[in-house]
Amino acid sequence: MISDPDIWRAAQLIVKRHDADAPIVAAQRADELFEDGDLDGAAVSKRILHAVEELQRVTPKVGERVN
């Protein structure tokens, strides 16, 4: 099991390297792993994808508190 801090670190690296294309890169990696039959790797990549999307999100969710 990959820890949450590791997921966020990986997501930050992807965003830093790929900027606006980061979600596409993360999604492609998850698809590649799934197609290769690496279901655990695909699951980790999906978690990274969701973290990337959160890092790049600019609007709050409904009911979310903003500082």
Side-chain angles (χ1 to χ4, degrees), residues 19-37:
D19 196 29
D21 292 333
I24 295 167
V25 170
Q28 286 174 337
R29 183 64 180 144
D31 290 345
E32 289 169 3
L33 290 168
F34 182 78
E35 289 172 8
D36 289 344

Side-chain angles (χ1 to χ4, degrees), residues 8-56:
W8 287 99
R9 278 191 282 274
Q12 287 174 327
L13 286 172
I14 292 171
V15 169
K16 186 176 181 178
R17 289 183 185 154
H18 301 284
D19 196 29
D21 292 333
I24 295 167
V25 170
Q28 286 174 337
R29 183 64 180 144
D31 290 345
E32 289 169 3
L33 290 168
F34 182 78
E35 289 172 8
D36 289 344
D38 184 356
L39 301 182
D40 291 335
V44 169
S45 289
K46 289 249 182 183
R47 288 176 60 201
I48 293 170
L49 170 59
H50 291 297
V52 164
E53 291 170 341
E54 279 297 303
L55 287 172
Q56 292 187 323

